[in-house]
Amino acid sequence: MAFNHRKTITFRLAQTARAARGRSGGHLIRIGLHPGQESVLKALAEQDGLTMSQLAQTLAVQPPTVTKKVSRLAAQGYVERRASKGDGRQAHVFLTEQGRDTIADVDRGWKRLEKEALAGIDEKDVKRLRKLLRQIERNLTASHESADDQPEDEPEAEDVEIAAAPAA
């Protein structure tokens, strides 16, 4: 029997992430933003005046990605770049008044998305899901042996027994 990737948790996570990005994008378009721009605004709302490299590190993206996002946000009037007082080659990014005003719209969109995503799921299950997703994220970002080093005769997803995560 061939391995059915559609029955794996990681496939479901990928499909869920795709659906969440699509729905989130719809909410963002209504307020004049493109997906990913809200992350820049939220990062600056937490700490205004970050450098481009600090923003890239905060958002866990490559510097060219941040440059593109900041350029678009500046053209739209949400942020402005200012040369560093200590090093004129370095720019700091600041929210404009329009950018600060948009944060509330971003927050409303995220709250709406969260409500839509979790409809029909009780609070106990939401807490458990949040905990499990954090563990999966840690597992996938930790340094493990590469997939090439794993044995090829792994059991199929539906045959794998999953141990319960210890309570924290």
Side-chain angles (χ1 to χ4, degrees):
M1 176 179 225
F3 177 72
N4 186 350
H5 72 284
R6 293 179 185 273
K7 290 188 176 185
T8 64
I9 297 297
T10 49
F11 179 79
R12 292 278 39 106
L13 282 171
Q15 293 299 105
T16 302
R18 184 174 299 128
R21 276 191 307 274
R23 184 63 65 101
S24 172
H27 292 313
L28 291 169
I29 296 276
R30 285 187 210 107
I31 61 174
L33 295 175
H34 296 283
Q37 290 180 322
E38 82 285 2
S39 300
V40 174
L41 297 179
K42 289 295 285 180
L44 293 171
E46 290 175 12
Q47 186 177 353
D48 210 9
L50 293 172
T51 64
M52 299 293 265
S53 59
Q54 289 170 326
L55 262 174
Q57 186 176 13
T58 299
L59 300 173
V61 298
Q62 295 298 313
T65 302
V66 167
T67 300
K68 186 175 182 179
K69 288 180 184 192
V70 167
S71 293
R72 285 184 175 174
L73 286 166
Q76 293 171 277
Y78 294 110
V79 300
E80 64 182 4
R81 286 180 244 192
R82 298 181 203 153
S84 172
K85 292 177 181 154
D87 182 355
R89 297 170 297 171
Q90 194 172 50
H92 292 265
V93 184
F94 293 87
L95 288 170
T96 62
E97 193 62 38
Q98 178 184 352
R100 277 188 286 284
D101 292 344
T102 303
I103 296 297
D105 294 330
V106 168
D107 288 345
R108 277 191 292 280
W110 274 102
K111 288 176 186 175
R112 189 176 313 123
L113 178 65
E114 186 82 353
K115 185 177 179 181
E116 292 166 355
L118 299 175
I121 301 174
D122 69 42
E123 187 60 32
K124 180 181 173 187
D125 288 338
V126 168
K127 287 180 182 177
R128 180 78 175 137
L129 177 59
R130 188 178 300 117
K131 183 177 179 180
L132 290 169
L133 289 172
R134 278 195 308 266
Q135 182 61 50
I136 290 170
E137 181 182 3
R138 283 192 297 271
N139 291 347
L140 294 175
T141 56
S143 60
H144 289 285
E145 292 179 14
S146 72
D148 296 337
D149 295 338
Q150 298 299 316
E152 288 187 29
D153 58 341
E154 292 283 327
E156 293 193 17
E158 56 268 19
D159 296 335
V160 175
E161 214 172 290
I162 309 231

